[in-house]
Amino acid sequence: MIIELGNEARDKITGFSGIVTSRAEYLTGCTQYGLTPPVGGDGQVRASEWFDEGRIEVTGVGVAKGEVTGTTNGGPQRDHAPLR
């Protein structure tokens, strides 16, 4: 199952939710998705978290790629963290 980048989704176990902003596919067959949550009530940007594919439930349409794509490709993201 391929989950579209830009969909709104949530982790079935923790309830963590956000926009699917990344996908990692591994040689071993594991696929994980990065969910980026909305800004918190304090106005602070919260870090993205990674979840195995089977834990992800799509909850909405989210944002289309064309709405957030710039004229040039970006570099590493400030909230990128190594997988645990």
Side-chain angles (χ1 to χ4, degrees), residues 20-54:
V20 180
T21 56
S22 49
R23 175 177 41 243
E25 296 180 32
Y26 296 90
L27 184 62
T28 57
C30 178
T31 301
Q32 293 185 332
Y33 289 88
L35 298 183
T36 302
V39 170
D42 58 1
Q44 296 296 310
V45 174
R46 300 178 342 202
S48 299
E49 296 290 339
W50 289 85
F51 300 95
D52 288 341
E53 182 175 55

Side-chain angles (χ1 to χ4, degrees), residues 54-77:
R55 292 175 58 165
I56 302 295
E57 173 183 38
V58 174
T59 58
V61 177
V63 62
K65 183 177 179 181
E67 295 178 60
V68 295
T69 302
T71 55
T72 59
N73 290 335
Q77 300 298 311

